[in-house]
Each structure stands twice: as structure tokens, then as C-alpha cells.
Amino acid sequence: SCLHVQTSSSKISTLIKVLRLFTYFPNKKGLDLLNSEFYVEPPSEVLVLKNICYHEELLVDEEYTEIVKDMEIEASKFGTVIKIKIPRFDPKSKENFGLGNVYIRFANVNQSKNARRDLVKRLFRKRIVEACYHGLGKFLSDDFQLRSNYMYH
């Protein structure tokens, strides 16, 4: 025998939203909204653009320089760019965080927010850009490890 359940469209809508959360925020241990695993960096003057380049593209100095220039041109449309950092592979390091990401420090948080709003989900070199914020202290100390894998969408 089959169990037929009638449900309202609002319940279905809520279920779809929950399923989207699991899609957007995958976690091996499951989604835990009450614990710090769900934490993302609050807005800051440092914006991280993910999925910008492949680590192989950064091995060639000319390619690296071209990507930095492209990022400077695009980011400067949203305000004053203080500095751009693009981590490169270091064979001496045990962990190479931030490969493929571009870290942009703007003059203030509002410029970073405006850039994030306009750049997220855009195409760059045929790749969809994702964006999140990064702590200024971490940026200044070249700590490219993101707090979590979760993005503001």
C-alpha cells in the first residue's frame, strides 16, 4: 500500500529551501546551524574571489601578471584597491591554501560589498566566480586559509 500525503505549497517551499541549503553548504558531518561550522567571515575590506584561475596558470610569470592586471582593472571599478594577492604553489609548503583564489583588499568595507554583489556568479575566463570575505589580519599575514568552505550566495 502507498501512503499519500497532502501538503501545502508553503511546506513544499520550505522543504525546497532546506534542500538548497544542503546543496549550497555541503558538510561531511551534516549541516549544523547552531554550531560554528556554519560560520562565515563577516563583511570586511578583503574580498576573496574563488574559482578565478587554475594553479597551473600561475606557474608562468606572464600569465600570473596578466591575471593580476585583469583583477586590478575589474576591482578598481568598485573603489580603491589597496592590494591584490594571488597565492601561488609553493613546493616547500605542506599546505598551499588559497590556490585559484584572488584576495583583494579595498579601502573600505562598502567597496568590498559592492564588488562582491556585482562580481559573484559572473564569468571570468569561462569560470563562474564565487565570493566571500576574509579577515584583514589574515590577509596582512598572508594567511590564505578560508574560515570555512561556505560562501555568501
mmCIF file with all atom_site columns, all heavy atoms in Angstrom, residues 17-33:
data_model
loop_
_atom_site.group_PDB
_atom_site.id
_atom_site.type_symbol
_atom_site.label_atom_id
_atom_site.label_alt_id
_atom_site.label_comp_id
_atom_site.label_asym_id
_atom_site.label_entity_id
_atom_site.label_seq_id
_atom_site.pdbx_PDB_ins_code
_atom_site.Cartn_x
_atom_site.Cartn_y
_atom_site.Cartn_z
_atom_site.occupancy
_atom_site.B_iso_or_equiv
_atom_site.pdbx_formal_charge
_atom_site.auth_seq_id
_atom_site.auth_comp_id
_atom_site.auth_asym_id
_atom_site.auth_atom_id
_atom_site.pdbx_PDB_model_num
ATOM 1   N N   . LYS A 1 17 ? 13.780 25.056 0.184  1.00 0.00 ? 17 LYS A N   1
ATOM 2   C CA  . LYS A 1 17 ? 14.795 25.952 0.742  1.00 0.00 ? 17 LYS A CA  1
ATOM 3   C C   . LYS A 1 17 ? 15.808 25.176 1.590  1.00 0.00 ? 17 LYS A C   1
ATOM 4   O O   . LYS A 1 17 ? 17.008 25.443 1.527  1.00 0.00 ? 17 LYS A O   1
ATOM 5   C CB  . LYS A 1 17 ? 14.146 27.055 1.576  1.00 0.00 ? 17 LYS A CB  1
ATOM 6   C CG  . LYS A 1 17 ? 13.424 28.087 0.737  1.00 0.00 ? 17 LYS A CG  1
ATOM 7   C CD  . LYS A 1 17 ? 12.728 29.105 1.604  1.00 0.00 ? 17 LYS A CD  1
ATOM 8   C CE  . LYS A 1 17 ? 11.908 30.053 0.747  1.00 0.00 ? 17 LYS A CE  1
ATOM 9   N NZ  . LYS A 1 17 ? 11.092 30.957 1.540  1.00 0.00 ? 17 LYS A NZ  1
ATOM 10  N N   . VAL A 1 18 ? 15.327 24.227 2.386  1.00 0.00 ? 18 VAL A N   1
ATOM 11  C CA  . VAL A 1 18 ? 16.224 23.421 3.217  1.00 0.00 ? 18 VAL A CA  1
ATOM 12  C C   . VAL A 1 18 ? 17.135 22.584 2.327  1.00 0.00 ? 18 VAL A C   1
ATOM 13  O O   . VAL A 1 18 ? 18.347 22.498 2.558  1.00 0.00 ? 18 VAL A O   1
ATOM 14  C CB  . VAL A 1 18 ? 15.427 22.530 4.189  1.00 0.00 ? 18 VAL A CB  1
ATOM 15  C CG1 . VAL A 1 18 ? 16.322 21.489 4.843  1.00 0.00 ? 18 VAL A CG1 1
ATOM 16  C CG2 . VAL A 1 18 ? 14.741 23.383 5.242  1.00 0.00 ? 18 VAL A CG2 1
ATOM 17  N N   . LEU A 1 19 ? 16.576 21.980 1.290  1.00 0.00 ? 19 LEU A N   1
ATOM 18  C CA  . LEU A 1 19 ? 17.396 21.183 0.374  1.00 0.00 ? 19 LEU A CA  1
ATOM 19  C C   . LEU A 1 19 ? 18.435 22.049 -0.323 1.00 0.00 ? 19 LEU A C   1
ATOM 20  O O   . LEU A 1 19 ? 19.559 21.619 -0.539 1.00 0.00 ? 19 LEU A O   1
ATOM 21  C CB  . LEU A 1 19 ? 16.511 20.473 -0.651 1.00 0.00 ? 19 LEU A CB  1
ATOM 22  C CG  . LEU A 1 19 ? 15.640 19.353 -0.084 1.00 0.00 ? 19 LEU A CG  1
ATOM 23  C CD1 . LEU A 1 19 ? 14.690 18.816 -1.151 1.00 0.00 ? 19 LEU A CD1 1
ATOM 24  C CD2 . LEU A 1 19 ? 16.486 18.235 0.484  1.00 0.00 ? 19 LEU A CD2 1
ATOM 25  N N   . ARG A 1 20 ? 18.084 23.291 -0.652 1.00 0.00 ? 20 ARG A N   1
ATOM 26  C CA  . ARG A 1 20 ? 19.054 24.195 -1.257 1.00 0.00 ? 20 ARG A CA  1
ATOM 27  C C   . ARG A 1 20 ? 20.180 24.516 -0.290 1.00 0.00 ? 20 ARG A C   1
ATOM 28  O O   . ARG A 1 20 ? 21.327 24.656 -0.688 1.00 0.00 ? 20 ARG A O   1
ATOM 29  C CB  . ARG A 1 20 ? 18.380 25.485 -1.715 1.00 0.00 ? 20 ARG A CB  1
ATOM 30  C CG  . ARG A 1 20 ? 17.589 25.318 -2.986 1.00 0.00 ? 20 ARG A CG  1
ATOM 31  C CD  . ARG A 1 20 ? 17.061 26.637 -3.472 1.00 0.00 ? 20 ARG A CD  1
ATOM 32  N NE  . ARG A 1 20 ? 16.299 26.439 -4.682 1.00 0.00 ? 20 ARG A NE  1
ATOM 33  C CZ  . ARG A 1 20 ? 15.228 27.128 -5.004 1.00 0.00 ? 20 ARG A CZ  1
ATOM 34  N NH1 . ARG A 1 20 ? 14.795 28.087 -4.211 1.00 0.00 ? 20 ARG A NH1 1
ATOM 35  N NH2 . ARG A 1 20 ? 14.586 26.882 -6.115 1.00 0.00 ? 20 ARG A NH2 1
ATOM 36  N N   . LEU A 1 21 ? 19.862 24.659 0.994  1.00 0.00 ? 21 LEU A N   1
ATOM 37  C CA  . LEU A 1 21 ? 20.906 24.904 1.988  1.00 0.00 ? 21 LEU A CA  1
ATOM 38  C C   . LEU A 1 21 ? 21.919 23.767 1.985  1.00 0.00 ? 21 LEU A C   1
ATOM 39  O O   . LEU A 1 21 ? 23.115 23.985 2.027  1.00 0.00 ? 21 LEU A O   1
ATOM 40  C CB  . LEU A 1 21 ? 20.305 25.037 3.389  1.00 0.00 ? 21 LEU A CB  1
ATOM 41  C CG  . LEU A 1 21 ? 19.804 26.406 3.789  1.00 0.00 ? 21 LEU A CG  1
ATOM 42  C CD1 . LEU A 1 21 ? 19.159 26.333 5.171  1.00 0.00 ? 21 LEU A CD1 1
ATOM 43  C CD2 . LEU A 1 21 ? 20.919 27.424 3.796  1.00 0.00 ? 21 LEU A CD2 1
ATOM 44  N N   . PHE A 1 22 ? 21.409 22.536 1.920  1.00 0.00 ? 22 PHE A N   1
ATOM 45  C CA  . PHE A 1 22 ? 22.326 21.394 1.894  1.00 0.00 ? 22 PHE A CA  1
ATOM 46  C C   . PHE A 1 22 ? 23.165 21.396 0.628  1.00 0.00 ? 22 PHE A C   1
ATOM 47  O O   . PHE A 1 22 ? 24.298 20.981 0.631  1.00 0.00 ? 22 PHE A O   1
ATOM 48  C CB  . PHE A 1 22 ? 21.554 20.079 2.027  1.00 0.00 ? 22 PHE A CB  1
ATOM 49  C CG  . PHE A 1 22 ? 21.220 19.749 3.443  1.00 0.00 ? 22 PHE A CG  1
ATOM 50  C CD1 . PHE A 1 22 ? 19.972 20.018 3.960  1.00 0.00 ? 22 PHE A CD1 1
ATOM 51  C CD2 . PHE A 1 22 ? 22.173 19.191 4.278  1.00 0.00 ? 22 PHE A CD2 1
ATOM 52  C CE1 . PHE A 1 22 ? 19.666 19.729 5.272  1.00 0.00 ? 22 PHE A CE1 1
ATOM 53  C CE2 . PHE A 1 22 ? 21.880 18.892 5.600  1.00 0.00 ? 22 PHE A CE2 1
ATOM 54  C CZ  . PHE A 1 22 ? 20.627 19.165 6.097  1.00 0.00 ? 22 PHE A CZ  1
ATOM 55  N N   . THR A 1 23 ? 22.596 21.887 -0.461 1.00 0.00 ? 23 THR A N   1
ATOM 56  C CA  . THR A 1 23 ? 23.341 21.981 -1.714 1.00 0.00 ? 23 THR A CA  1
ATOM 57  C C   . THR A 1 23 ? 24.394 23.069 -1.627 1.00 0.00 ? 23 THR A C   1
ATOM 58  O O   . THR A 1 23 ? 25.535 22.885 -2.027 1.00 0.00 ? 23 THR A O   1
ATOM 59  C CB  . THR A 1 23 ? 22.386 22.277 -2.886 1.00 0.00 ? 23 THR A CB  1
ATOM 60  O OG1 . THR A 1 23 ? 21.410 21.256 -2.938 1.00 0.00 ? 23 THR A OG1 1
ATOM 61  C CG2 . THR A 1 23 ? 23.146 22.324 -4.201 1.00 0.00 ? 23 THR A CG2 1
ATOM 62  N N   . TYR A 1 24 ? 24.029 24.239 -1.101 1.00 0.00 ? 24 TYR A N   1
ATOM 63  C CA  . TYR A 1 24 ? 24.960 25.354 -1.014 1.00 0.00 ? 24 TYR A CA  1
ATOM 64  C C   . TYR A 1 24 ? 26.023 25.150 0.055  1.00 0.00 ? 24 TYR A C   1
ATOM 65  O O   . TYR A 1 24 ? 27.130 25.630 -0.068 1.00 0.00 ? 24 TYR A O   1
ATOM 66  C CB  . TYR A 1 24 ? 24.221 26.658 -0.703 1.00 0.00 ? 24 TYR A CB  1
ATOM 67  C CG  . TYR A 1 24 ? 23.568 27.292 -1.883 1.00 0.00 ? 24 TYR A CG  1
ATOM 68  C CD1 . TYR A 1 24 ? 22.244 27.690 -1.817 1.00 0.00 ? 24 TYR A CD1 1
ATOM 69  C CD2 . TYR A 1 24 ? 24.257 27.496 -3.076 1.00 0.00 ? 24 TYR A CD2 1
ATOM 70  C CE1 . TYR A 1 24 ? 21.615 28.281 -2.891 1.00 0.00 ? 24 TYR A CE1 1
ATOM 71  C CE2 . TYR A 1 24 ? 23.633 28.082 -4.160 1.00 0.00 ? 24 TYR A CE2 1
ATOM 72  C CZ  . TYR A 1 24 ? 22.320 28.475 -4.059 1.00 0.00 ? 24 TYR A CZ  1
ATOM 73  O OH  . TYR A 1 24 ? 21.715 29.061 -5.130 1.00 0.00 ? 24 TYR A OH  1
ATOM 74  N N   . PHE A 1 25 ? 25.655 24.474 1.124  1.00 0.00 ? 25 PHE A N   1
ATOM 75  C CA  . PHE A 1 25 ? 26.552 24.349 2.259  1.00 0.00 ? 25 PHE A CA  1
ATOM 76  C C   . PHE A 1 25 ? 26.845 22.895 2.572  1.00 0.00 ? 25 PHE A C   1
ATOM 77  O O   . PHE A 1 25 ? 26.461 22.378 3.613  1.00 0.00 ? 25 PHE A O   1
ATOM 78  C CB  . PHE A 1 25 ? 25.951 25.030 3.495  1.00 0.00 ? 25 PHE A CB  1
ATOM 79  C CG  . PHE A 1 25 ? 25.588 26.458 3.275  1.00 0.00 ? 25 PHE A CG  1
ATOM 80  C CD1 . PHE A 1 25 ? 24.269 26.869 3.229  1.00 0.00 ? 25 PHE A CD1 1
ATOM 81  C CD2 . PHE A 1 25 ? 26.581 27.405 3.105  1.00 0.00 ? 25 PHE A CD2 1
ATOM 82  C CE1 . PHE A 1 25 ? 23.944 28.188 3.025  1.00 0.00 ? 25 PHE A CE1 1
ATOM 83  C CE2 . PHE A 1 25 ? 26.259 28.740 2.895  1.00 0.00 ? 25 PHE A CE2 1
ATOM 84  C CZ  . PHE A 1 25 ? 24.941 29.124 2.847  1.00 0.00 ? 25 PHE A CZ  1
ATOM 85  N N   . PRO A 1 26 ? 27.525 22.195 1.673  1.00 0.00 ? 26 PRO A N   1
ATOM 86  C CA  . PRO A 1 26 ? 27.813 20.782 1.939  1.00 0.00 ? 26 PRO A CA  1
ATOM 87  C C   . PRO A 1 26 ? 28.773 20.636 3.117  1.00 0.00 ? 26 PRO A C   1
ATOM 88  O O   . PRO A 1 26 ? 29.650 21.462 3.311  1.00 0.00 ? 26 PRO A O   1
ATOM 89  C CB  . PRO A 1 26 ? 28.464 20.310 0.642  1.00 0.00 ? 26 PRO A CB  1
ATOM 90  C CG  . PRO A 1 26 ? 29.026 21.533 0.030  1.00 0.00 ? 26 PRO A CG  1
ATOM 91  C CD  . PRO A 1 26 ? 28.124 22.665 0.449  1.00 0.00 ? 26 PRO A CD  1
ATOM 92  N N   . ASN A 1 27 ? 28.572 19.616 3.889  1.00 0.00 ? 27 ASN A N   1
ATOM 93  C CA  . ASN A 1 27 ? 29.388 19.407 5.070  1.00 0.00 ? 27 ASN A CA  1
ATOM 94  C C   . ASN A 1 27 ? 29.404 17.909 5.355  1.00 0.00 ? 27 ASN A C   1
ATOM 95  O O   . ASN A 1 27 ? 28.362 17.298 5.461  1.00 0.00 ? 27 ASN A O   1
ATOM 96  C CB  . ASN A 1 27 ? 28.780 20.177 6.246  1.00 0.00 ? 27 ASN A CB  1
ATOM 97  C CG  . ASN A 1 27 ? 29.620 20.099 7.483  1.00 0.00 ? 27 ASN A CG  1
ATOM 98  O OD1 . ASN A 1 27 ? 30.377 19.164 7.662  1.00 0.00 ? 27 ASN A OD1 1
ATOM 99  N ND2 . ASN A 1 27 ? 29.480 21.067 8.339  1.00 0.00 ? 27 ASN A ND2 1
ATOM 100 N N   . LYS A 1 28 ? 30.576 17.338 5.489  1.00 0.00 ? 28 LYS A N   1
ATOM 101 C CA  . LYS A 1 28 ? 30.686 15.898 5.713  1.00 0.00 ? 28 LYS A CA  1
ATOM 102 C C   . LYS A 1 28 ? 29.949 15.469 6.977  1.00 0.00 ? 28 LYS A C   1
ATOM 103 O O   . LYS A 1 28 ? 29.447 14.377 7.069  1.00 0.00 ? 28 LYS A O   1
ATOM 104 C CB  . LYS A 1 28 ? 32.156 15.503 5.818  1.00 0.00 ? 28 LYS A CB  1
ATOM 105 C CG  . LYS A 1 28 ? 32.899 15.636 4.522  1.00 0.00 ? 28 LYS A CG  1
ATOM 106 C CD  . LYS A 1 28 ? 34.360 15.312 4.705  1.00 0.00 ? 28 LYS A CD  1
ATOM 107 C CE  . LYS A 1 28 ? 35.115 15.613 3.419  1.00 0.00 ? 28 LYS A CE  1
ATOM 108 N NZ  . LYS A 1 28 ? 36.541 15.497 3.585  1.00 0.00 ? 28 LYS A NZ  1
ATOM 109 N N   . LYS A 1 29 ? 29.907 16.343 7.960  1.00 0.00 ? 29 LYS A N   1
ATOM 110 C CA  . LYS A 1 29 ? 29.270 15.997 9.231  1.00 0.00 ? 29 LYS A CA  1
ATOM 111 C C   . LYS A 1 29 ? 27.784 16.370 9.235  1.00 0.00 ? 29 LYS A C   1
ATOM 112 O O   . LYS A 1 29 ? 27.106 16.172 10.204 1.00 0.00 ? 29 LYS A O   1
ATOM 113 C CB  . LYS A 1 29 ? 29.973 16.733 10.362 1.00 0.00 ? 29 LYS A CB  1
ATOM 114 C CG  . LYS A 1 29 ? 31.422 16.337 10.513 1.00 0.00 ? 29 LYS A CG  1
ATOM 115 C CD  . LYS A 1 29 ? 32.078 17.158 11.580 1.00 0.00 ? 29 LYS A CD  1
ATOM 116 C CE  . LYS A 1 29 ? 33.572 16.879 11.619 1.00 0.00 ? 29 LYS A CE  1
ATOM 117 N NZ  . LYS A 1 29 ? 34.271 17.758 12.533 1.00 0.00 ? 29 LYS A NZ  1
ATOM 118 N N   . GLY A 1 30 ? 27.297 16.944 8.169  1.00 0.00 ? 30 GLY A N   1
ATOM 119 C CA  . GLY A 1 30 ? 25.914 17.397 8.118  1.00 0.00 ? 30 GLY A CA  1
ATOM 120 C C   . GLY A 1 30 ? 25.834 18.878 8.446  1.00 0.00 ? 30 GLY A C   1
ATOM 121 O O   . GLY A 1 30 ? 26.755 19.466 8.977  1.00 0.00 ? 30 GLY A O   1
ATOM 122 N N   . LEU A 1 31 ? 24.737 19.485 8.120  1.00 0.00 ? 31 LEU A N   1
ATOM 123 C CA  . LEU A 1 31 ? 24.557 20.914 8.350  1.00 0.00 ? 31 LEU A CA  1
ATOM 124 C C   . LEU A 1 31 ? 24.180 21.147 9.803  1.00 0.00 ? 31 LEU A C   1
ATOM 125 O O   . LEU A 1 31 ? 23.233 20.570 10.303 1.00 0.00 ? 31 LEU A O   1
ATOM 126 C CB  . LEU A 1 31 ? 23.473 21.446 7.414  1.00 0.00 ? 31 LEU A CB  1
ATOM 127 C CG  . LEU A 1 31 ? 23.205 22.933 7.456  1.00 0.00 ? 31 LEU A CG  1
ATOM 128 C CD1 . LEU A 1 31 ? 24.439 23.677 6.948  1.00 0.00 ? 31 LEU A CD1 1
ATOM 129 C CD2 . LEU A 1 31 ? 22.014 23.276 6.592  1.00 0.00 ? 31 LEU A CD2 1
ATOM 130 N N   . ASP A 1 32 ? 24.923 21.965 10.486 1.00 0.00 ? 32 ASP A N   1
ATOM 131 C CA  . ASP A 1 32 ? 24.657 22.262 11.882 1.00 0.00 ? 32 ASP A CA  1
ATOM 132 C C   . ASP A 1 32 ? 24.570 23.769 12.037 1.00 0.00 ? 32 ASP A C   1
ATOM 133 O O   . ASP A 1 32 ? 25.579 24.453 12.171 1.00 0.00 ? 32 ASP A O   1
ATOM 134 C CB  . ASP A 1 32 ? 25.766 21.696 12.756 1.00 0.00 ? 32 ASP A CB  1
ATOM 135 C CG  . ASP A 1 32 ? 25.446 21.814 14.243 1.00 0.00 ? 32 ASP A CG  1
ATOM 136 O OD1 . ASP A 1 32 ? 24.458 22.502 14.584 1.00 0.00 ? 32 ASP A OD1 1
ATOM 137 O OD2 . ASP A 1 32 ? 26.169 21.223 15.041 1.00 0.00 ? 32 ASP A OD2 1
ATOM 138 N N   . LEU A 1 33 ? 23.359 24.288 11.982 1.00 0.00 ? 33 LEU A N   1
ATOM 139 C CA  . LEU A 1 33 ? 23.170 25.738 12.024 1.00 0.00 ? 33 LEU A CA  1
ATOM 140 C C   . LEU A 1 33 ? 23.506 26.334 13.386 1.00 0.00 ? 33 LEU A C   1
ATOM 141 O O   . LEU A 1 33 ? 23.731 27.527 13.500 1.00 0.00 ? 33 LEU A O   1
ATOM 142 C CB  . LEU A 1 33 ? 21.715 26.077 11.680 1.00 0.00 ? 33 LEU A CB  1
ATOM 143 C CG  . LEU A 1 33 ? 21.279 25.718 10.267 1.00 0.00 ? 33 LEU A CG  1
ATOM 144 C CD1 . LEU A 1 33 ? 19.782 25.950 10.107 1.00 0.00 ? 33 LEU A CD1 1
ATOM 145 C CD2 . LEU A 1 33 ? 22.042 26.524 9.249  1.00 0.00 ? 33 LEU A CD2 1
#
